[in-house]
Amino acid sequence: MSLQVVILGVGGVGQVCAAEVVKKGCIKKLILADIFTEGAEKFAEKLRKQTFAEVVVCQTNASDTESVASILEDVDVLLHAGIPEYNFDVMQACLDTKTHYIDMASDSPDLLLQQLDWDEKFKQAGIVGIMGLGCDPGFSNIAARYAADQMDTVKTITILDGDNSEVDYDGFCAYFSPQTAIKECLAKPNYWTAKDGQQFYPTPFTNVEEFEFPEPIGWLNCYVVEHEETTTLGTSIGKGCEHVEFRYALHPDFVNTLKVLSYLGLDSDEPIKVNGVDVIPRDVVVTTMPKPAELAGKIHGYSCVGALVKGTKGDQNVELFVYTLANHDEIYDKLGFQATVWQTGVPPIAAVDMIAEGLLKTTGCIPPEKIDPVPFLECLQARGMGWYVIKKTSPIMKTA
């Protein structure tokens, strides 16, 4: 099945999506859509030399439903690779035009639940909406589902994101969307328990624990951070799951900078007057930071994202860590991207592959763990994004 695909937002992740989706013959037309088209046009020129698919660029405002809907005639799938605050505007455009929708993040756990509440609307339109299908969330959810499927019962799920790299940049930077990084790291960290549902720690950076990542990363301090996985995985997975959390390995300098930004109020998205002009403090900070795509070739080290699932199988306690691991330098040398945006951009294309091959026929709004993990992981592997499993077992101690 040949598809027409729109990629909305042609930053680092959007470029990865575009570069990947044209590698196979299932795409007959690719539309690169962004409010600023100069960079998209330059990238489109590169793609046209690599594919027989038609590649066009459209100026589109993601915050304007009509603007998005105007480019969706005969389009099969839209990938929203822009900032998540426009998810609902883009979802409405897809609903109006009966276009499959995939995004890579939600603006908050509560807003993710509101997106999933559009389930019946999407079912009636005969389309699927997949919320948060990047690396984490996204691959991480599906890795957790894969691990849980190997077990009789599940006790805990911990999503882990660790990176041991150094960057050739003398200043404050983030490897993915700076807006999202600042917002989620300074939000109250969420976790889920079977007893109480979604809960929040009162302040960020107060819950730290050391975890051992696969070599060559090793031990890193990981903080509980606000994230989408904890909102859905516990109820989706079931099997007696008691606790779900997301932990992010943060460098001390990054943590200290965020604390200063918060102390000064520079993480706020509320406008303030500066010499008579309305200014959003967080936008000022983000403007001073490099775009993630600009860090390609400047990051040196490894990035690992995975799901650590603990449960039982038969008479054994089982611990599975299902993960993906990438080297920033290797990804840059081979593909021209830094590893974090590459790991985020490949999973949604695996879902596009499944749609094209008739392997993903679900309709409605779903979190990533509702996708059948085996064919998805096979598509991911075929795209060059390897995944691995570390397994530990111990006998269940029986009481008299």
Side-chain angles (χ1 to χ4, degrees), residues 62-116:
S63 68
D64 184 336
T65 294
E66 291 186 4
S67 176
V68 178
S70 69
I71 65 169
L72 296 183
E73 183 178 357
D74 296 325
V75 168
D76 300 287
V77 186
L78 178 145
L79 304 182
H80 184 203
I83 59 176
E85 78 176 86
Y86 304 129
N87 284 355
F88 289 100
D89 303 294
V90 180
M91 287 174 67
Q92 186 61 57
C94 288
L95 196 59
D96 293 343
T97 57
K98 294 182 171 53
T99 305
H100 296 307
Y101 168 88
I102 301 173
D103 67 38
M104 284 136 237
S106 294
D107 216 23
S108 73
D110 288 341
L111 289 175
L112 169 59
L113 293 175
Q114 291 181 33
Q115 286 184 259
L116 294 171

Side-chain angles (χ1 to χ4, degrees), residues 123-187:
K123 284 181 178 176
Q124 291 178 3
I127 56 175
V128 67
I130 308 174
M131 282 67 208
L133 186 56
C135 191
D136 52 334
F139 166 80
S140 54
N141 301 63
I142 294 169
R145 162 75 186 279
Y146 177 84
D149 285 352
Q150 317 305 310
M151 301 179 184
D152 297 328
T153 68
V154 172
K155 185 175 182 181
T156 64
I157 301 172
T158 304
I159 305 302
L160 293 166
D161 185 325
D163 194 307
N164 70 344
S165 62
E166 296 182 355
V167 59
D168 299 331
Y169 179 78
D170 187 18
F172 182 52
C173 64
Y175 295 176
F176 61 101
S177 167
Q179 295 98 323
T180 302
I182 293 170
K183 185 173 182 178
E184 70 183 19
C185 288
L186 288 175

Side-chain angles (χ1 to χ4, degrees), residues 290-308:
K291 295 179 181 179
E294 295 171 353
L295 297 176
K298 299 178 181 180
I299 307 173
H300 315 289
Y302 288 80
S303 171
C304 178
V305 173
L308 177 64

Side-chain angles (χ1 to χ4, degrees), residues 155-342:
K155 185 175 182 181
T156 64
I157 301 172
T158 304
I159 305 302
L160 293 166
D161 185 325
D163 194 307
N164 70 344
S165 62
E166 296 182 355
V167 59
D168 299 331
Y169 179 78
D170 187 18
F172 182 52
C173 64
Y175 295 176
F176 61 101
S177 167
Q179 295 98 323
T180 302
I182 293 170
K183 185 173 182 178
E184 70 183 19
C185 288
L186 288 175
K188 291 181 179 180
N190 63 321
Y191 62 99
W192 179 92
T193 69
K195 180 181 178 182
D196 299 314
Q198 184 165 258
Q199 300 294 305
F200 296 86
Y201 292 108
T203 57
F205 310 127
T206 56
N207 193 299
V208 60
E209 187 173 341
E210 196 175 29
F211 279 85
E212 185 179 14
F213 286 85
E215 290 297 335
I217 295 180
W219 291 93
L220 295 174
N221 283 332
C222 296
Y223 297 83
V224 176
V225 171
E226 179 195 82
H227 235 248
E228 294 91 331
E229 292 96 330
T230 60
T231 309
T232 62
L233 275 175
T235 52
S236 294
I237 297 297
K239 293 193 172 184
C241 184
E242 299 173 7
H243 186 92
V244 182
E245 65 184 19
F246 173 91
R247 285 188 173 269
Y248 193 12
L250 299 172
H251 192 279
D253 291 345
F254 188 81
V255 172
N256 291 334
T257 301
L258 287 176
K259 286 180 177 179
V260 171
L261 292 178
S262 178
Y263 180 75
L264 295 175
L266 293 174
D267 61 320
S268 174
D269 59 3
E270 293 297 323
I272 60 174
K273 289 285 186 182
V274 179
N275 295 328
V277 178
D278 283 335
V279 175
I280 296 176
R282 190 172 66 209
D283 287 355
V284 175
V285 174
V286 169
T287 301
T288 68
M289 299 171 67
K291 295 179 181 179
E294 295 171 353
L295 297 176
K298 299 178 181 180
I299 307 173
H300 315 289
Y302 288 80
S303 171
C304 178
V305 173
L308 177 64
V309 181
K310 298 181 180 180
T312 66
K313 178 70 173 180
D315 61 355
Q316 295 283 309
N317 291 308
V318 180
E319 180 179 313
L320 291 177
F321 184 48
V322 181
Y323 68 98
T324 185
L325 181 71
N327 178 280
H328 288 280
D329 287 308
E330 290 179 2
I331 296 299
Y332 178 72
D333 290 342
K334 183 178 179 181
L335 302 168
F337 300 107
Q338 47 112 324
T340 302
V341 297
W342 179 78

Side-chain angles (χ1 to χ4, degrees), residues 6-21:
V6 164
I7 295 174
L8 179 59
V10 195
V13 173
Q15 290 179 16
V16 173
C17 292
E20 282 296 325
V21 81

